[in-house]
Amino acid sequence: MTSKATTPEEYIQEAPEERQEALKKLRKTIQQNLPKGFEEGMQYGMIGYYVPHSVYPAGYHCKPEEPLPFMSFASQKNSVNLYHSGIYANKKLHDWFVNEYPKHVKTKLDMGKSCVRFKKVEHIPYDLIAELVQKMSMEEWISIYEENIKR
């Protein structure tokens, strides 16, 4: 479900009422733990965190006019989804997250390549997400991204 919201606040206000507090808390968790340099805004119809063009002028290789995406979250039809490009691009980070998840949440991990789906907002592990967000600097993300697009 892509939103036409132009600000994160507007996006959260458009979400179902029963998800708004969880989305606000998720946003605050990310903002408080996001490494220096990343910016927040709307990207691909979601609240996104990205490397600004002022730091990485080339932008995203698939769509250079877009800043380089790093992570985002969205309220989808059946879940709240967290997208983290580092989990997809860095096996060590992926394995860490998969191993830590059961220590924070009793339900089975529902995960795609870079997407973690939370069917119930009460299962969102904010502490684990805070740790995840801190684990990759902007410089590390750019380096991993550039290495992967060369392949």
Side-chain angles (χ1 to χ4, degrees), residues 26-143:
L26 182 55
R27 180 181 182 212
K28 185 175 182 179
T29 298
I30 293 169
Q31 288 174 324
Q32 290 177 337
N33 292 283
L34 195 65
K36 185 178 176 231
F38 288 109
E39 289 186 359
E40 177 190 69
M42 294 302 298
Q43 200 172 35
Y44 304 104
M46 301 179 275
I47 298 175
Y49 301 88
Y50 46 81
V51 180
H53 278 115
S54 60
V55 174
Y56 195 75
Y60 185 44
H61 73 281
C62 295
K63 199 173 181 186
E65 65 275 10
E66 284 285 337
L68 178 61
F70 176 58
M71 64 182 297
S72 57
F73 67 92
S75 177
Q76 300 293 355
K77 182 178 179 182
N78 296 314
S79 58
V80 170
N81 295 354
L82 175 71
Y83 302 88
H84 192 289
S85 297
I87 287 178
Y88 175 66
N90 182 311
K91 182 170 175 20
K92 185 176 174 183
L93 183 60
H94 172 274
D95 292 348
W96 170 84
F97 185 81
V98 169
N99 288 328
E100 288 296 312
Y101 188 86
K103 298 174 187 176
H104 296 264
V105 182
K106 300 300 178 212
T107 57
K108 183 181 176 204
L109 175 60
D110 184 358
M111 185 173 173
K113 290 181 178 181
S114 70
C115 173
V116 182
R117 292 174 282 276
F118 304 103
K119 297 225 186 327
K120 295 185 178 185
V121 294
E122 57 270 15
H123 293 164
I124 298 173
Y126 299 101
D127 292 344
L128 179 60
I129 291 168
E131 284 185 66
L132 173 65
V133 171
Q134 295 173 30
K135 288 210 173 272
M136 188 174 288
S137 71
M138 185 178 61
E139 294 75 18
E140 288 172 299
W141 170 234
I142 291 169
S143 177

